Amino acid sequence: MARLTGGDPSLLRRINSAVVLHALRATDCATLTEVTRVTGLSRPTVEGVVEGLIEAGLVVETAAEEGAARRQGRPARRFRFRAEAGHLLGLEIGVHRVAALLADLDGRVIGARAGDVDERVDADERLERLDAAIGELLDTAGVPRGSLRAVGVGTPGIVEADGTVRLGTALPGWTGLGLGERLGRSFKCPVLVENDANAAVVAEHWKGAARETDDVVFVLAGLSPGAGSLIGGRLHRGYGGAAGEIGALHLLGREATPETLLSTTDEPLHPLDEQAVAAVFAQAREGDQRALAAMDRFIHRLVHDVAALVLALDPELVVIGGWAAGLDGVLEPLRRELARYCLRPPRVALSHLGEAAVATGAVRLALDHVEEQLFAVEGTVTARR
Amino acid sequence: MARLTGGDPSLLRRINSAVVLHALRATDCATLTEVTRVTGLSRPTVEGVVEGLIEAGLVVETAAEEGAARRQGRPARRFRFRAEAGHLLGLEIGVHRVAALLADLDGRVIGARAGDVDERVDADERLERLDAAIGELLDTAGVPRGSLRAVGVGTPGIVEADGTVRLGTALPGWTGLGLGERLGRSFKCPVLVENDANAAVVAEHWKGAARETDDVVFVLAGLSPGAGSLIGGRLHRGYGGAAGEIGALHLLGREATPETLLSTTDEPLHPLDEQAVAAVFAQAREGDQRALAAMDRFIHRLVHDVAALVLALDPELVVIGGWAAGLDGVLEPLRRELARYCLRPPRVALSHLGEAAVATGAVRLALDHVEEQLFAVEGTVTARR
């Protein structure tokens, strides 16, 4: 409950400012009369607040429409939120690629850059590749670094609240890396680091396959599958940030590893060799019996992992992503088997965002942070995260 | 945020009343001066509110302490919350037993009654046994049925919000039973039905092994294990109320069932024959090789199930309960295996409440409901559930 102490006019001003900004951001542009109606504030209050927001660079007067001018003689002044007043970066640092998305303060993506990275390069080289991609992206878009308000990052591993990678076995030199602090040196704005599957589920909820539901598990299928979950619309990180690391059931256990299951020879695949996986999927599509058998083993394992997640969490929807190609064959067996294992089988859908999911989620996390700064005042916290 | 509209004096009265009641309940007894200090309300407001609470039967003036009387000449009047102003029932309806706890409005248990039930009896007979236990309990305590403010119930199965058992394979006639509505006929107060493992985790958090943590998974170990979870102190039921039904992984799947794993002969145990399970545990303690091997198989399976829950949820603590005896041998293997499987192994503890866990949790659920009624006003919702 907000404590509305009558004696704090600056708090009231901040609340009114947030309310007006919210109203303007929800529409293309609006007159003072419209803002007054929507917010319930008085006309003089709205005028004062809008004046302050114009000075802060967050609101601008738009050109009056011609039609309105003609009808009314003197047109009403119209105002809009300046989404271009600041920018956000959404970064993915993966095993095989780095990617960066540039967005405005409405979260609209205005530029993208990605590059392949060898899975064996060390942390320094990987981050240099990322930095180069960011530099090109900002140059091309003509956005200065100082315009960035927040940077979101999605990467494999267990990530601490301060942006340190506590455990990240998929990338060389990742475990123990102070990734948030390290990236923070390149930016003057906050850098928010998140597990890649967590970023992906946020993205699918924002603009992908999970727009309609607040209870969703996103499975980042791969040789070591991970998962991110929203419960009631909120990211479930777990007590130590390790929720959803279901791949560990096989990586650390005594059971057959996925790279053995997926092999069509007597040799297991390399744990991170996704090209080899894609080749097996392709052979299976062409009817190769050994590849089909390998696919079967792999799908059986994936179904088991997903079933364990579903039984533990009981989501409304499971979104399968990760490998851009080849996974559509997973859906039907998954649905069939979940109906056997689960008391109330969830819906199962493929990722809509594909390989853009992680970076898109990183944009959303950066946007959440900026919205908290712009719209939150003491006692009124935005509910998104 | 509460809308503190100046024009609604009855809302303000309710808020003030809740605040004073809260303050009185947090202490044995208090003077008006103490209440004034703690609540920040004015003396006349406190006097008016306390008068109203006395009329409602929720507060009573206590006898002044003799010491205070001597020191001050005229002793200050002292008031206390009347925990005896109403009562709660916490019920367990299990496979082999029914149990009832009677508590006052502080949640203090003032009576208990339990009875064995054959696992094969139908719903009518099971509920008759329960009703008899409740009748004896209320008679012995001298509490009239009309004094009950809320009844909590814990039972196996997936329970809908309205108290209907959507799926309950462990008890004959349970699936589809309108348990809340059925029990409601016997009481004039609300009846709240909850899955048994969910009730148990609430209990361990309230007064058991999980008092210190808000992120806990309670595993109701049995031939078909189930689990209840608190995330950030809140019960996680899942989208369809089926969260934690991890036993389905084996019940519905093609893998060996627990009753086969635990058998020391070539015949599987009966799925609900817990006496036979206890016998295997006892033989194992005496060093019987076949029993030890059966225990090993069973523990391996339990560890796998718990690991799946832990990887999905990443709790701070796992509490193992269910079978009152024999489970202490599970802890060490569980800790050892979780350290192998899990990236960040949780603490593992035995249930403190044993077979009282489910009924105790049912008391807490009833108490939550009453507290919401007593202390909540529009816009101020207690955070417990």
Side-chain angles (χ1 to χ4, degrees):
Chain A
M1 188 163 70
R3 278 161 296 180
L4 292 177
T5 48
D8 185 354
S10 89
L11 173 59
L12 261 183
R13 259 203 309 277
R14 273 183 292 146
I15 293 176
N16 291 341
S17 180
V19 164
V20 169
L21 199 55
H22 223 300
L24 282 174
R25 195 158 173 258
T27 176
D28 280 345
C29 62
T31 64
L32 293 177
T33 305
E34 286 162 357
V35 174
T36 301
R37 197 185 61 235
V38 169
T39 59
L41 297 172
S42 74
R43 176 89 183 194
T45 299
V46 169
E47 283 175 346
V49 164
V50 167
E51 205 57 49
L53 289 170
I54 289 173
E55 277 167 35
L58 288 168
V59 164
V60 68
E61 185 174 348
T62 63
E65 294 167 58
E66 292 218 352
R70 247 177 250 136
R71 273 199 308 279
Q72 302 180 359
R74 194 171 66 90
R77 296 166 69 199
R78 301 187 75 85
F79 301 88
R80 70 169 176 84
F81 173 62
R82 285 189 70 234
E84 69 277 22
H87 293 86
L88 313 163
L89 277 181
L91 308 178
E92 175 187 3
I93 313 177
V95 176
H96 296 107
R97 68 177 219 138
V98 291
L101 293 177
L102 181 66
D104 66 17
L105 291 185
D106 278 336
R108 202 169 53 89
V109 171
I110 58 174
R113 188 71 55 146
D116 290 339
V117 181
D118 190 287
E119 71 246 24
R120 290 159 299 188
V121 306
D122 64 12
D124 284 344
E125 193 175 335
R126 199 175 296 272
L127 292 175
E128 276 162 28
R129 296 294 303 270
L130 178 70
D131 204 51
I134 293 168
E136 290 166 24
L137 176 59
L138 293 175
D139 283 354
T140 306
V143 169
R145 228 161 242 262
S147 178
L148 295 173
R149 297 287 187 108
V151 176
V153 187
T155 197
I158 301 178
V159 180
E160 310 263 2
D162 71 353
T164 302
V165 180
R166 189 144 57 88
L167 188 64
T169 51
L171 280 67
W174 226 236
T175 297
L177 183 68
L179 186 57
E181 188 269 328
R182 177 79 172 262
L183 289 170
R185 292 180 214 156
S186 307
F187 304 103
K188 284 177 185 150
C189 62
V191 175
L192 312 142
V193 187
E194 187 56 81
N195 168 270
D196 54 356
N198 286 356
V201 74
V202 166
E204 295 287 344
H205 186 244
W206 183 28
K207 38 170 89 175
R211 260 172 297 190
E212 311 284 313
T213 170
D214 282 343
D215 295 279
V216 53
V217 170
F218 179 96
V219 179
L220 201 56
L223 284 173
S224 171
S229 306
L230 295 185
I231 296 175
R234 293 165 61 95
L235 201 49
H236 174 60
R237 292 189 174 82
Y239 177 71
E245 293 289 335
I246 196 75
L249 208 51
H250 313 300
L251 280 184
L252 302 180
R254 56 195 140 205
E255 299 183 55
T257 61
E259 49 271 27
T260 308
L261 296 176
L262 260 180
S263 172
T264 54
T265 68
D266 293 335
E267 288 296 303
L269 305 180
H270 184 280
L272 301 172
D273 188 351
E274 298 189 4
Q275 279 75 15
V277 172
V280 174
F281 284 12
Q283 287 164 21
R285 272 194 298 274
E286 285 159 17
D288 180 279
Q289 288 304 314
R290 295 198 72 171
L292 283 169
M295 278 283 285
D296 266 0
R297 290 193 298 267
F298 174 74
I299 287 173
H300 181 66
R301 169 62 54 85
L302 186 64
V303 165
H304 180 272
D305 289 350
V306 174
L309 284 167
V310 165
L311 290 172
L313 289 163
D314 185 22
E316 184 184 4
L317 172 69
V318 174
V319 178
I320 305 292
W323 283 329
L327 280 178
D328 43 329
V330 170
L331 286 201
E332 272 319 308
L334 196 51
R335 290 194 181 109
R336 198 169 55 236
E337 292 294 300
L338 284 178
R340 287 167 52 107
Y341 279 108
C342 302
L343 301 180
R344 196 201 50 77
R347 288 190 294 120
V348 179
L350 270 191
S351 161
H352 286 189
L353 298 168
E355 63 178 3
V358 175
T360 301
V363 168
R364 179 68 248 184
L365 295 169
L367 185 56
D368 285 347
H369 181 83
V370 168
E371 287 184 345
E372 273 176 32
Q373 290 189 313
L374 289 180
F375 302 127
V377 286
E378 191 191 22
T380 64
V381 179
T382 56
R384 179 159 262 120
R385 291 185 72 190
Chain B
M1 188 163 72
R3 277 161 295 175
L4 292 176
T5 49
D8 186 352
S10 89
L11 172 60
L12 262 183
R13 260 202 308 277
R14 272 184 291 146
I15 292 176
N16 291 341
S17 179
V19 165
V20 168
L21 199 55
H22 222 299
L24 283 173
R25 192 156 174 261
T27 178
D28 280 347
C29 62
T31 64
L32 294 177
T33 305
E34 286 162 357
V35 174
T36 301
R37 197 184 62 236
V38 169
T39 60
L41 297 172
S42 74
R43 177 89 183 197
T45 299
V46 169
E47 283 175 348
V49 164
V50 166
E51 205 56 51
L53 290 170
I54 289 173
E55 277 168 33
L58 288 169
V59 165
V60 69
E61 185 175 351
T62 62
E65 294 167 56
E66 292 218 353
R70 248 177 248 134
R71 274 199 308 279
Q72 304 178 358
R74 191 172 69 89
R77 297 165 68 199
R78 302 187 75 84
F79 302 88
R80 69 167 177 85
F81 173 64
R82 285 189 70 233
E84 70 276 23
H87 292 86
L88 313 163
L89 276 182
L91 309 177
E92 175 186 2
I93 313 178
V95 176
H96 297 107
R97 70 179 218 135
V98 292
L101 293 177
L102 181 66
D104 66 18
L105 292 185
D106 278 336
R108 204 170 51 92
V109 172
I110 58 175
R113 188 72 56 151
D116 290 338
V117 181
D118 189 286
E119 71 248 23
R120 290 159 299 189
V121 305
D122 66 12
D124 282 344
E125 192 175 337
R126 200 174 294 273
L127 291 175
E128 277 162 27
R129 294 295 303 272
L130 178 71
D131 204 50
I134 293 169
E136 290 166 23
L137 175 60
L138 293 175
D139 283 353
T140 308
V143 168
R145 227 162 243 262
S147 179
L148 295 173
R149 298 287 188 108
V151 176
V153 188
T155 195
I158 301 179
V159 181
E160 309 264 0
D162 71 352
T164 302
V165 180
R166 189 145 57 87
L167 188 65
T169 51
L171 280 68
W174 225 236
T175 297
L177 182 67
L179 185 57
E181 189 271 328
R182 176 79 172 263
L183 288 171
R185 291 179 215 158
S186 307
F187 303 103
K188 284 178 186 152
C189 63
V191 175
L192 311 143
V193 187
E194 187 58 81
N195 168 270
D196 54 357
N198 287 355
V201 74
V202 166
E204 296 286 345
H205 185 243
W206 183 28
K207 37 171 89 174
R211 258 173 299 190
E212 311 284 315
T213 171
D214 283 343
D215 295 279
V216 54
V217 170
F218 180 96
V219 179
L220 201 56
L223 283 172
S224 171
S229 305
L230 295 186
I231 297 175
R234 294 165 62 93
L235 202 49
H236 174 61
R237 295 187 172 82
Y239 178 70
E245 293 288 337
I246 196 75
L249 207 50
H250 314 301
L251 279 186
L252 302 179
R254 53 196 142 201
E255 300 183 54
T257 60
E259 47 272 27
T260 308
L261 296 177
L262 260 180
S263 171
T264 54
T265 68
D266 293 337
E267 287 297 302
L269 306 179
H270 185 279
L272 300 174
D273 189 350
E274 298 188 5
Q275 277 76 16
V277 172
V280 174
F281 283 11
Q283 287 164 21
R285 272 196 296 277
E286 286 159 17
D288 180 279
Q289 288 304 313
R290 294 197 75 171
L292 282 169
M295 279 283 283
D296 265 0
R297 289 192 299 266
F298 173 74
I299 286 174
H300 181 67
R301 168 62 55 85
L302 186 63
V303 165
H304 179 271
D305 289 350
V306 175
L309 284 167
V310 165
L311 289 172
L313 288 164
D314 185 22
E316 184 184 4
L317 171 69
V318 174
V319 178
I320 305 290
W323 283 329
L327 280 179
D328 42 330
V330 169
L331 285 202
E332 272 318 308
L334 196 51
R335 289 193 183 110
R336 198 170 54 236
E337 292 294 301
L338 285 179
R340 287 167 51 106
Y341 280 108
C342 301
L343 302 179
R344 198 201 51 76
R347 288 190 294 120
V348 179
L350 271 190
S351 161
H352 285 189
L353 298 168
E355 65 179 0
V358 175
T360 302
V363 169
R364 179 68 248 185
L365 294 169
L367 185 55
D368 284 347
H369 182 83
V370 168
E371 287 185 344
E372 273 176 32
Q373 290 188 314
L374 288 181
F375 301 129
V377 287
E378 189 190 23
T380 63
V381 178
T382 56
R384 179 159 262 121
R385 290 186 72 187

